[in-house]
Amino acid sequence: MLLTITLGFLTAVGPAHADKGCKESTPITVPLPDPVSGRRYEIYVSLPAGYAEVPTRSYPLVILADGGRAFPRLSCAARAVSRDSARDEPIVVGLSYAAGEDLEDSRRRDYTPTKLRNSAKAYGGAAAYQTYLANVVLPYVEGHYRVSGGRRIFWGHSYGGLLGAHILLTAPSTFQTYILGSPSFWFDDGAIMDFETRYANRHRKLEANVILYVGGLEISRYDPQRKGKTRDMVQGLNAFETRLASRNYAGLRLTSKVIAGTDHRSSVGPGFAWGLNAAFQ
């Protein structure tokens, strides 16, 4: 029995409320429904310290998948990375799940690229969600906040990393940097590789900074808590990286890291911090 790990990592980052350890973060919640599907989404916005004091200054933008859970701690982590590296603090935006839906149902549909045959659950809505992100979220954010041109960063973990890979391979200019953590490249028998093949057949350029990370313990092993074998996320990430590197895409910057001693959950924090620091280089 192979175990699908998706929801577990979310419990490691906490719900979408203010992180008590991050006094600088004053999140703004903005309702942003999808006019096509009618689903009711929100975004959570954290502005840099001193944002209002220098009205001519612009900032990098970090978009967080799974913002309904990851936003509080990771918006704080982004501030810490910026301070430690003496870089501009980013505007951090977390993406919510659809209101009124179980979070796992929402992300399972919105973050996966293909429908699953013989499944009663909804999958394969990544293209529609990506359209919402490009046509609703990004125009709103860049129309209301001072975002630096050409400094969009996407972060996603697990299914969120799979969503990021789908955006990368179908509309790469949506973001300049993609931080993909423990991506679920195993989904639907590695369907994301088919997207890469189609992209490679039509393009010789892939102008993006792609940053990959995975926990060192995310290998195929028996997990007594789940009473089954886990998927080999390390192998999946290595295969994806090798595939991209073999294409010699013009404009592609590619880097990766295995976070030693961490699993699918515990790799989130150090992986995000390492990835964002790499993005700021």
Side-chain angles (χ1 to χ4, degrees):
M1 175 183 178
L2 276 178
L3 299 172
T4 301
I5 306 174
T6 54
L7 186 60
F9 92 88
L10 298 173
T11 61
V13 294
H17 54 69
D19 190 326
K20 294 180 181 179
C22 184
K23 296 180 181 179
E24 295 168 303
S25 179
T26 306
I28 303 163
T29 299
V30 181
L32 278 186
D34 180 2
V36 176
S37 69
R39 296 187 183 101
R40 293 177 292 120
Y41 297 105
E42 298 175 333
I43 60 170
Y44 314 112
V45 183
S46 177
L47 298 176
Y51 178 85
E53 297 170 8
V54 187
T56 58
R57 187 175 180 182
S58 59
Y59 300 85
L61 172 64
V62 176
I63 296 286
L64 304 176
D66 284 302
R69 298 286 291 186
F71 175 78
R73 292 189 183 178
L74 295 191
S75 60
C76 291
R79 308 272 168 255
V81 169
S82 299
R83 287 194 300 267
D84 292 346
S85 61
R87 305 280 179 172
D88 286 343
E89 289 190 24
I91 295 170
V92 182
V93 173
L95 304 171
S96 81
Y97 307 112
E101 294 184 8
D102 177 82
L103 69 87
E104 187 65 8
D105 289 338
S106 182
R107 67 193 300 271
R108 180 190 297 117
R109 177 195 61 236
D110 291 345
Y111 294 178
T112 56
T114 53
K115 295 181 179 180
L116 290 185
R117 296 179 297 276
N118 304 319
S119 175
K121 297 186 180 296
Y123 290 91
Y129 187 77
Q130 178 177 323
T131 298
Y132 160 74
L133 181 58
N135 293 349
V136 178
V137 175
L138 291 174
Y140 178 89
V141 170
E142 296 185 343
H144 287 77
Y145 304 104
R146 301 192 303 274
V147 176
S148 298
R151 300 180 76 185
R152 292 179 182 172
I153 300 169
F154 176 91
W155 171 86
H157 188 97
S158 195
Y159 273 166
L162 182 63
L163 170 65
H166 182 268
I167 299 171
L168 171 71
L169 297 172
T170 56
S173 63
T174 305
F175 297 93
Q176 285 71 50
T177 297
Y178 293 82
I179 305 173
L180 310 180
S182 299
S184 300
F185 293 148
W186 52 263
F187 176 79
D188 195 11
D189 296 325
I192 196 65
M193 296 299 192
D194 295 333
F195 284 88
E196 194 282 330
T197 297
R198 289 195 289 271
Y199 185 89
N201 288 339
R202 300 190 301 270
H203 302 89
R204 294 294 175 264
K205 291 183 179 180
L206 182 55
E207 295 184 356
N209 182 18
V210 179
I211 299 167
L212 306 165
Y213 71 84
V214 66
L217 301 179
E218 295 189 73
I219 56 176
S220 182
R221 58 188 173 83
Y222 181 79
D223 187 332
Q225 291 184 334
R226 296 181 174 85
K227 298 181 180 180
K229 292 188 71 175
T230 59
R231 295 183 182 276
D232 194 334
M233 309 286 275
V234 175
Q235 188 278 332
L237 184 139
N238 287 339
F240 185 77
E241 180 181 20
T242 298
R243 175 81 71 91
L244 289 183
S246 72
R247 303 296 190 185
N248 294 312
Y249 289 118
L252 175 64
R253 290 182 291 162
L254 185 61
T255 186
S256 69
K257 183 173 184 177
V258 176
I259 311 295
T262 65
D263 57 21
H264 198 63
R265 294 175 59 184
S266 59
S267 64
V268 175
F272 175 79
W274 170 80
L276 192 58
N277 189 62
F280 286 158
Q281 299 302 314

